[in-house]
Amino acid sequence: MALQLIDLGNEVTYIDIDTEKVPYTFSVKLIDKTFTLTVKYNEVGGFFTVDLITTTGEVLAFGDPIRYGRPLFGSIEDERFPLPVIIPQCLTDEDISTVTEGNFGKAVRLYLHERRVE
């Protein structure tokens, strides 16, 4: 399944994150819906978060922690959420177990996985 990032116009299998720009907001098209994502860094807790907003301005998730290997928005999803499952992970280094300022957007990316609908 190929998904398209609006800003880049390229077919991709992950959402590219530039930690040098954090906090920042961008739009991404996933399957047939466009969403606005805001990526932030929590200095006190030492972790990244993401907000998910629809094109109509409806906030679907605010401050969802980005945790390695765990699907974003997993505990709060419904039909308004993106069809692909978004999972922060590294496909090249088995030793990574957390999302950090040093690896996020580089080794650790927001990979898009097909959602299994039953």
Side-chain angles (χ1 to χ4, degrees), residues 92-110:
T92 60
D93 188 354
E94 299 296 324
D95 294 335
I96 293 178
S97 61
T98 59
V99 177
T100 67
E101 287 182 276
N103 66 25
F104 190 42
K106 299 167 188 74
V108 175
R109 298 177 184 250
L110 298 179

Side-chain angles (χ1 to χ4, degrees), residues 36-92:
T36 298
L37 297 175
T38 299
V39 179
K40 301 174 195 167
Y41 186 74
N42 182 313
E43 294 283 341
V44 175
F47 58 89
F48 289 93
T49 63
V50 64
D51 303 340
L52 179 69
I53 303 167
T54 66
T55 55
T56 62
E58 180 181 10
V59 177
L60 298 178
F62 183 80
D64 192 46
I66 300 174
R67 295 191 177 112
Y68 187 84
R70 293 189 176 193
L72 296 181
F73 325 117
S75 62
I76 51 174
E77 64 185 79
D78 61 31
E79 69 277 352
R80 299 169 298 164
F81 283 75
L83 188 57
V85 177
I86 305 168
I87 302 176
Q89 62 189 132
C90 175
L91 300 183
T92 60

